Amino acid sequence: MKFFLKIALIVPFVFVYIGFNSFTLNDDLKDFKAIHITSTWEVPQKTGEHMTFTRSPDLIYSNNYTISREPYEVTNTYVKINNSGQEVPDPMRPATLEIRYRYCISKKGQKNGICYNSISDSTGKIYPLDSLIKDFLHFPSLFYYGRGKGKDSIKVIKDYKNGYLTEIITNRKMSERDPDSSYFYFRKKPLDYSFLIKDKRSDNMYLYKALIIFNHIPKADLINNVSEKKTKFKHSFELKEVDVPDKENLKILIEKFKRSSEGK
């Protein structure tokens, strides 16, 4: 009977403990918001095809902290010693691809933060987080600089009722490096961040998406010595609101950052 009484007392305690820790975790992150940034570049190749490169960081922030979380790939290779005593690839253990995350965190209002190559790193590197975030957000501005100049043709689609506006720019090939058409999507500012463009808009609309289209590969001497074979490629950029990801590791990161800051 005493055994069952002990079990009856222990089980509720375990659930209370788990519930308390879950509540603490959620409570620590309840004021956080997150956006997912996707930048995709298609690069022409000699074959007339293209390679695709993507950056997809999360930007997580609250009144107290700003955090970037960006995935990167790590290839794990395995070797064995052959009869000559040399290291060679192990055919029985093929290379594997692992996705890891790089975290950068700073206190709101501070220029510099700390970057960790993984959540398990005990020490990090001082990094200007504000510059890192601007790096994520500046790419569409590379294609917005010539808006309204030369032979540009601009079509504006307005939906002010729902808070959206689209600018479609065509015929702006003032050089072979210019796209054939560009689509810039704006909305009323829903978050603390948006893609950066130089022109400040009087209608308080903010850029959240862009699509840059090339109908053919530029001349051979400009990109990878490719031929002028007709092919279409594009670059795209988008900000999207998401649920706060990776909450357990974010809590570890914040505690680690607090300890590091207090130790200075």
Side-chain angles (χ1 to χ4, degrees):
M1 186 67 182
K2 289 182 179 179
F3 172 78
F4 288 106
L5 180 60
K6 288 181 179 179
I7 294 295
L9 292 173
I10 291 172
V11 170
F13 173 78
V14 170
F15 280 104
V16 168
Y17 177 80
I18 294 174
F20 175 77
N21 279 276
S22 299
F23 173 79
T24 302
L25 175 64
N26 293 332
D27 189 58
D28 285 348
L29 297 173
K30 67 180 181 180
D31 295 328
F32 277 77
K33 298 178 182 178
I35 57 176
H36 186 71
I37 305 170
T38 305
S39 297
T40 302
W41 300 80
E42 293 182 347
V43 179
Q45 302 299 297
K46 293 180 181 180
T47 59
E49 299 175 344
H50 48 71
M51 295 180 64
T52 301
F53 299 90
T54 301
R55 292 187 73 178
S56 54
D58 294 305
L59 185 56
I60 306 155
Y61 57 94
S62 68
N63 290 330
N64 295 320
Y65 299 100
T66 302
I67 299 169
S68 73
R69 170 183 177 266
E70 184 174 16
Y72 65 96
E73 295 180 352
V74 175
T75 301
N76 299 310
T77 57
Y78 302 94
V79 298
K80 67 175 185 177
I81 305 299
N82 63 12
N83 294 333
S84 302
Q86 298 174 322
E87 288 187 351
V88 295
D90 187 347
M92 302 301 294
R93 303 179 68 191
T96 60
L97 185 65
E98 180 184 355
I99 303 297
R100 297 181 184 175
Y101 289 90
R102 180 179 294 106
Y103 299 84
C104 298
I105 177 173
S106 73
K107 198 83 178 282
K108 267 291 185 70
Q110 294 181 351
K111 291 184 178 180
N112 294 326
I114 301 178
C115 284
Y116 301 89
N117 281 329
S118 74
I119 199 66
S120 60
D121 284 0
S122 57
T123 58
K125 183 171 66 173
I126 301 296
Y127 201 92
L129 185 57
D130 186 56
S131 297
L132 179 66
I133 293 171
K134 287 181 179 178
D135 180 45
F136 292 146
L137 298 176
H138 89 282
F139 290 118
S141 66
L142 299 177
F143 304 96
Y144 199 71
Y145 65 90
R147 186 179 74 91
K149 296 180 180 179
K151 298 180 180 180
D152 291 357
S153 172
I154 302 177
K155 179 180 180 181
V156 179
I157 302 174
K158 300 178 181 179
D159 182 7
Y160 283 141
K161 180 179 178 181
N162 295 307
Y164 290 94
L165 181 145
T166 303
E167 287 185 357
I168 304 172
I169 304 175
T170 56
N171 303 322
R172 60 187 298 243
K173 290 186 73 66
M174 300 173 70
S175 76
E176 285 293 331
R177 290 184 179 273
D178 287 334
D180 292 276
S181 57
S182 305
Y183 296 75
F184 295 96
Y185 301 86
F186 298 85
R187 64 180 176 187
K188 291 293 184 181
K189 191 176 183 181
L191 295 167
D192 294 331
Y193 297 92
S194 62
F195 283 120
L196 303 173
I197 54 176
K198 292 182 179 179
D199 297 347
K200 181 173 176 58
R201 300 183 65 91
S202 60
D203 55 10
N204 294 319
M205 302 292 279
Y206 295 82
L207 184 64
Y208 74 97
K209 184 178 178 181
L211 179 62
I212 316 299
I213 296 175
F214 297 80
N215 289 333
H216 69 279
I217 291 177
K219 288 182 178 178
D221 61 342
L222 291 181
I223 297 184
N224 296 338
N225 292 319
V226 297
S227 67
E228 290 192 69
K229 178 181 177 181
K230 293 290 184 180
T231 184
K232 179 179 285 190
F233 64 99
K234 64 182 184 294
H235 308 320
S236 60
F237 315 96
E238 185 171 7
L239 295 175
K240 187 179 295 185
E241 300 169 68
V242 295
D243 293 333
V244 176
D246 202 11
K247 291 183 178 180
E248 291 80 5
N249 282 335
L250 291 181
K251 189 170 188 292
I252 294 171
L253 180 71
I254 292 170
E255 292 303 319
K256 186 184 302 186
F257 178 74
K258 286 180 179 178
R259 291 194 299 271
S260 177
S261 299
E262 291 169 358
K264 293 179 181 180

